């Protein structure tokens, strides 16, 4: 019979890293894969969700994990719609386009995920990462229409000038 005032194995805290310094990763797009998923019941009894664990596959945050719940059933139609959109994006990104009930088909396939930071409005819980978008692994996010060339101290940016006008100065409005 197990003793409930003891751990099942000896635990050495000096052999493991704690969570004190574990800050959320920077927002942005990352190559990742889903390494774990399961359908769970909401604690409040108000539906079900897909519990997911994503692992970053490269870069500075390689190996970091992001935990994200995708709403499946809920009394809030908006929450269900948001969950269905994200679930559609995940299935599409891993190449599944037809109906399925199998959640294992999402596992261990590279995808691009947009990571954000969720902040607790009450300040009780620490900031944590969330997944806001999912795309196929070859997706390259748009970087703006006309990015300005980088400037260095040895090559200053050219001065801005307005085109001449017969009706007088046009002002500094960026749309002119």
């Amino acid at each position: 019979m197990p003793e409930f005032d003891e751990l099942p194995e000896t635990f050495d805290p000096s052999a493991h890293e704690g969570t004190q310094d574990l800050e959320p990763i920077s927002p942005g797009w990352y190559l990742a894969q889903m390494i774990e998923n399961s359908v769970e019941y909401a604690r409040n009894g108000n539906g079900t969700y897909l519990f997911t664990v994503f692992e970053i596959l490269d870069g500075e945050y390689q190996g970091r994990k992001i935990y994200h719940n995708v709403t499946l059933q809920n009394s809030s139609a908006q929450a269900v719609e948001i969950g269905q959109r994200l679930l559609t994006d995940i299935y599409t990104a891993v190449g599944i386009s037809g109906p399925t009930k199998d959640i294992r088909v999402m596992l261990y396939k590279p995808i691009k995920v947009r990571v954000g930071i969720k902040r607790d409005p009450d300040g009780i819980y620490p900031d944590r990462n969330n997944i806001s978008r999912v795309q196929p692994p070859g997706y390259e996010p748009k970087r703006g229409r006309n990015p300005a060339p980088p400037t260095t101290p040895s090559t200053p940016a050219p001065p801005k000038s307005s085109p001449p006008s017969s009706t007088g100065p046009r002002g500094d409005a960026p749309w002119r």
Side-chain angles (χ1 to χ4, degrees):
M1 177 181 275
E3 294 285 329
F4 288 106
D5 59 347
E6 292 184 359
L7 296 172
E9 298 176 353
T10 302
F11 180 76
D12 181 3
S14 66
H16 303 278
E17 186 176 323
T19 60
Q20 295 87 335
D21 297 329
L22 193 59
E23 295 293 321
I25 68 173
S26 300
W29 286 96
Y30 296 92
L31 185 64
Q33 65 181 352
M34 188 183 299
I35 61 170
E36 184 180 335
N37 63 17
S38 61
V39 175
E40 304 287 336
Y41 289 98
R43 279 183 263 169
N44 64 6
N46 189 19
T48 59
Y49 62 92
L50 180 68
F51 169 77
T52 63
V53 181
F54 293 87
E55 179 180 44
I56 304 298
L57 293 175
D58 62 3
E60 175 185 359
Y61 300 109
Q62 182 175 357
R64 288 283 301 269
K65 293 174 180 60
I66 299 168
Y67 301 85
H68 188 84
N69 297 337
V70 180
T71 302
L72 300 174
Q73 298 170 323
N74 192 288
S75 60
S76 166
Q78 183 179 17
V80 172
E81 181 181 345
I82 291 168
Q84 288 174 343
R85 288 175 185 257
L86 185 58
L87 195 58
T88 297
D89 290 347
I90 294 169
Y91 273 105
T92 301
V94 300
I96 305 298
S97 59
T100 183
K101 290 179 90 173
D102 189 359
I103 63 174
R104 295 170 299 178
V105 297
M106 296 181 269
L107 296 175
Y108 304 106
K109 295 182 179 169
I111 55 176
K112 281 277 179 89
V113 295
R114 186 168 67 184
V115 175
I117 297 178
K118 183 174 182 177
R119 302 188 192 288
D120 177 20
D122 299 324
I124 297 170
Y125 300 103
D127 295 346
R128 65 181 182 89
N129 287 120
N130 67 344
I131 304 293
S132 61
R133 298 242 350 247
V134 176
Q135 293 289 335
Y139 175 76
E140 289 299 324
K142 295 181 177 136
R143 300 280 184 210
R145 292 186 202 173
N146 296 316
T151 60
T152 62
S154 61
T155 59
K160 294 182 181 178
S161 60
S162 298
S165 170
S166 60
T167 59
R170 299 180 79 172
D172 292 335
W175 58 86
R176 296 185 188 200

